[in-house]
Amino acid sequence: MAQLDAKRCTVLWNKIDLRPDFVAPDLGCRPLRISASTGEGLAELRSHLRQRLGENDDSAWSARQRHVLALEEAQEQLAEAAQFLHLDTGEELLAQKLRESANALGQITGVVDVEEILGEIFSRFCIGK
């Protein structure tokens, strides 16, 4: 069987609760064994992924500041939407807050207004004409 680059791969074997005696073939990197049904091995998987993504034990996930700010904005808009939902103030205000939250998430996923991006670039950087 072909060997994989241990620095670039993660081999994950699921359903170990059904076959506890299963021995994973040697693919060149340490296999992770989990059971999505029982949760066995999930803590090890999370730890492995954090390590691979460069997270220190107690640090926040590394992300660009723009992404963090967008997530905070989306969270704030959803919290306000929840308040409107409980106050029964009208569907228009709730819809607007949900739209603003979606727009904030769109800044991360790439679904954003081009003019908004250009405005942000020109406001933060000195670009000559």
Side-chain angles (χ1 to χ4, degrees), residues 32 101 111 117 127-128:
L32 297 172
S101 180
V111 182
I117 292 174
I127 300 176

Side-chain angles (χ1 to χ4, degrees), residues 64-125:
R64 296 178 68 183
Q65 181 181 9
R66 181 174 64 88
H67 291 172
V68 172
L69 294 174
L71 287 171
E72 289 172 350
E73 176 66 18
Q75 182 180 21
E76 182 179 317
Q77 296 302 326
L78 287 173
E80 290 180 22
Q83 289 177 350
F84 286 132
L85 182 64
H86 295 298
L87 295 175
D88 195 29
T89 58
E91 297 166 349
E92 298 83 11
L93 295 174
L94 175 61
Q96 180 59 32
K97 290 300 174 185
L98 293 175
R99 187 177 299 110
E100 290 172 8
S101 180
N103 287 338
L105 292 175
Q107 294 175 18
I108 298 170
T109 63
V111 182
V112 292
D113 181 18
V114 174
E115 293 300 320
E116 184 178 339
I117 292 174
L118 292 175
E120 183 71 18
I121 290 171
F122 286 112
S123 72
R124 292 186 181 259
F125 300 98

Side-chain angles (χ1 to χ4, degrees), residues 16-105:
I16 61 170
D17 55 312
L18 300 178
R19 295 207 37 212
D21 58 334
F22 175 75
V23 178
D26 182 11
L27 298 174
C29 53
R30 189 177 124 248
L32 297 172
R33 298 168 36 98
I34 68 163
S35 169
S37 297
T38 66
E40 183 180 349
L42 292 180
E44 183 181 5
L45 173 61
R46 285 185 192 98
S47 174
H48 172 78
L49 291 174
R50 285 184 183 112
Q51 180 185 14
R52 294 293 301 266
L53 293 171
E55 180 184 298
N56 296 328
D57 292 340
D58 294 325
S59 70
W61 285 85
S62 62
R64 296 178 68 183
Q65 181 181 9
R66 181 174 64 88
H67 291 172
V68 172
L69 294 174
L71 287 171
E72 289 172 350
E73 176 66 18
Q75 182 180 21
E76 182 179 317
Q77 296 302 326
L78 287 173
E80 290 180 22
Q83 289 177 350
F84 286 132
L85 182 64
H86 295 298
L87 295 175
D88 195 29
T89 58
E91 297 166 349
E92 298 83 11
L93 295 174
L94 175 61
Q96 180 59 32
K97 290 300 174 185
L98 293 175
R99 187 177 299 110
E100 290 172 8
S101 180
N103 287 338
L105 292 175

